[in-house]
Amino acid sequence: MQDLKAKKSLGQNFLNDDNILNKIANSIDTENDLIIEIGPGMGALTKKLIKKNSYLIAYEIDERTKPFLLHLENEKTRIIYNDFLKTNLKEDIKNITYNRLYIIANIPYYITTPIIEHIIESEIPVESMVLLVQKEVADRFSAKPKSKDYGSLTVYLNTYFKVDKLFDVKNTCFNPVPKVDSAVVKFTKKNNEYNIDSVKFSKFIKECFSMKRKTLKNNLKKYDFTIIKEILLENGYNESARAEELDLDTFIKIYMKIVK
Ligand code: SAM
């Protein structure tokens, strides 16, 4: 069968390096688990994941991929032709009995943040995720305070997951060759001990970073600053601190006091 003509608008860069595909598929040991894949495309990674002796649900928006994927479906493998961002993940997995839930995917880069937000906000019990993402974005995921890459996405993600970059992937491993390099990142679930509501927390963190050069006092005008100031001082910051300086714990402390 002839390869699909890639659609740029759908982030289609197909991975054609067998070694990288194996490394991604083998980055997690699975046995009677459930794996979710986002964007199977022509099935390069899907074929590796099917061998993992687990259930697999793959979401693909482009129905032109059907001829490549239909024959991969069986009693443990299901392809859902839908926009991943519009799926009800809880509903889709509710009848499957599995040990652990993993997400493994070469995702479309143009919706990296919405994909991650959708996963966290779905409140499905993800054990860990292995995602192939744009290298610059991978750096943003694990950025430290005060660095240029540190932003709301870093804070949000690290609240729910421990983030580890596994390895880089050269752009020549894809067809068509993208302009950017990529990296595989592993996210391991933290035990959300404060039971932080993901939707409210995401909104709050975006408010903190809404104007990057402004102080928290400015960005959080609608809240009582005396409480925020107290937490800032207790944690070694001064009252004119900016969001980009704060560590994760301090964001959580402020959120717990003024939003929750
Ligand atoms: N997994 C394949 C591989 O590694 O070669 C394809 C990866 S390609 C980077 C991203 C895939 O995501 C494409 O097949 C594209 O059609 C699909 N995609 C794009 N937007 C999507 C969405 N909103 N929901 C589901 N799939 C989407």
Side-chain angles (χ1 to χ4, degrees):
M1 205 182 319
Q2 228 188 347
D3 279 3
L4 268 190
K5 191 168 183 307
K7 277 193 186 168
K8 224 177 174 185
S9 61
L10 293 178
Q12 290 180 341
N13 294 97
F14 302 107
L15 197 48
N16 58 14
D17 183 307
D18 209 49
N19 178 39
I20 299 287
L21 285 161
N22 282 328
K23 272 171 85 173
I24 296 173
N26 295 332
S27 58
I28 287 175
D29 279 332
T30 63
E31 184 77 46
N32 298 321
D33 297 317
L34 169 60
I35 302 171
I36 291 178
E37 186 190 1
I38 303 145
M42 290 185 282
L45 182 60
T46 321
K47 285 180 201 151
K48 308 279 181 193
L49 297 176
I50 285 174
K51 294 187 188 144
K52 305 286 292 176
N53 203 19
S54 290
Y55 287 96
L56 175 67
I57 300 182
Y59 294 95
E60 175 55 62
I61 199 169
D62 186 353
E63 298 211 6
R64 295 180 309 148
T65 60
K66 271 188 181 169
F68 298 89
L69 300 175
L70 277 176
H71 71 282
L72 300 180
E73 289 197 66
N74 57 40
E75 69 284 356
K76 289 184 97 176
T77 302
R78 199 175 147 210
I79 316 282
I80 299 179
Y81 296 92
N82 196 356
D83 178 349
F84 177 73
L85 302 178
K86 294 192 179 136
T87 52
N88 183 337
L89 296 174
K90 254 191 183 157
E91 189 62 30
D92 290 345
I93 67 173
K94 75 171 187 218
N95 293 325
I96 303 175
T97 309
Y98 58 88
N99 289 331
R100 288 155 303 180
L101 172 56
Y102 297 112
I103 298 182
I104 306 179
N106 170 15
I107 60 173
Y109 295 171
Y110 74 106
I111 44 171
T112 301
T113 304
I115 285 175
I116 290 170
E117 285 178 344
H118 184 58
I119 293 167
I120 297 176
E121 288 166 17
S122 295
E123 295 184 328
I124 50 170
V126 178
E127 189 76 22
S128 62
M129 317 195 268
V130 173
L131 303 181
L132 179 50
V133 298
Q134 192 176 324
K135 200 169 160 192
E136 283 167 13
V137 179
D139 292 338
R140 211 181 310 150
F141 290 159
S142 43
K144 298 281 172 269
K146 289 187 184 161
S147 68
K148 73 171 179 18
D149 290 331
Y150 191 68
S152 53
L153 178 63
T154 324
V155 175
Y156 182 68
L157 249 181
N158 285 273
T159 302
Y160 299 96
F161 294 101
K162 175 176 164 292
V163 182
D164 296 293
K165 186 161 118 178
L166 298 187
F167 52 89
D168 290 338
V169 180
K170 284 224 153 59
N171 62 354
T172 48
C173 297
F174 298 87
N175 185 23
V177 177
K179 287 205 178 80
V180 292
D181 278 329
S182 302
V184 174
V185 182
K186 183 169 184 176
F187 304 82
T188 310
K189 191 181 83 180
K190 286 183 177 172
N191 66 350
N192 186 6
E193 55 188 309
Y194 302 111
N195 213 2
I196 295 172
D197 178 286
S198 50
V199 177
K200 281 197 212 159
F201 189 64
S202 163
K203 192 164 161 270
F204 169 70
I205 295 299
K206 281 178 186 159
E207 285 170 351
C208 293
F209 281 91
S210 55
M211 283 177 283
K212 233 186 156 185
R213 304 306 306 159
K214 295 246 165 147
T215 61
L216 271 184
K217 187 176 182 178
N218 255 298
N219 284 341
L220 298 179
K221 269 191 182 131
K222 69 181 213 206
Y223 302 100
D224 179 353
F225 191 70
T226 49
I227 302 172
I228 301 172
K229 180 177 160 184
E230 203 175 298
I231 299 171
L232 286 175
L233 298 179
E234 272 170 20
N235 287 277
Y237 301 97
N238 68 45
E239 63 178 284
S240 55
R242 296 190 181 109
E244 63 191 16
E245 299 170 48
L246 265 55
D247 63 11
L248 186 58
D249 281 354
T250 310
F251 279 110
I252 294 175
K253 282 179 191 156
I254 297 175
Y255 169 83
M256 297 299 287
K257 271 271 165 72
I258 67 172
V259 183
K260 203 181 178 198

